[in-house]
Amino acid sequence: MSERVEVTRTGPMEYRAVVQDGLDTTQHRITMSHAVLDDLLIPDLDTHCVARETVKYLLDREPGDEIPEEIDLDQLSNHDKSFLTELKARLTN
C-alpha cells in the first residue's frame, strides 16, 4: 500500500479521511457509534486510530477511489463479517 492517509476529527464520533495515491486524492467521511466500539472490547480505545485503521483496512481490499465517500462502521461491520475481528487485531498490535 503506497497510499497516504490523513485523518481529522470533524465531530463527535465523526472523522474525515484524505487518501492520497500518487496524483489521486479522495475524501471520506467516517462515522461510528458507541455500540460498534463496544463490540471491539478494547479499553481506552482511541477513535482516531479506529478511523485510520478502518480506512487502511478498506485500502487493503480496494483502491481509494473505490472506497465509499461515506463510511459507517455499523454498516460496515454488518456487511463485512471479518471487519471487526481484523480491526481489533490491527488496533491491538
Side-chain angles (χ1 to χ4, degrees):
M1 178 175 81
S2 63
E3 298 91 352
R4 193 172 100 207
V5 178
E6 293 181 21
V7 176
T8 307
R9 186 180 187 141
T10 56
M13 310 292 276
E14 182 178 306
Y15 291 85
R16 179 177 73 108
V18 177
V19 178
Q20 291 183 301
D21 185 11
L23 298 175
D24 295 329
T25 301
T26 58
Q27 295 187 34
H28 312 273
R29 179 175 170 257
I30 304 150
T31 57
M32 58 191 81
S33 70
H34 288 287
V36 75
L37 297 177
D38 290 345
D39 288 344
L40 290 168
L41 303 172
I42 301 173
D44 301 321
L45 189 58
D46 181 349
T47 56
H48 184 272
C49 291
V50 170
R52 181 176 177 78
E53 290 303 322
T54 296
V55 173
K56 288 178 159 185
Y57 171 85
L58 293 171
L59 286 169
D60 285 347
R61 284 147 183 76
E62 56 195 340
D65 60 356
E66 292 184 23
I67 294 175
E69 288 182 21
E70 298 285 328
I71 303 168
D72 180 306
L73 270 64
D74 292 277
Q75 289 179 356
L76 184 57
S77 66
N78 287 333
H79 292 12
D80 182 344
K81 298 304 178 192
S82 65
F83 170 66
L84 285 180
T85 303
E86 175 72 21
L87 182 60
K88 184 174 183 174
R90 289 169 180 257
L91 292 168
T92 57
N93 288 333

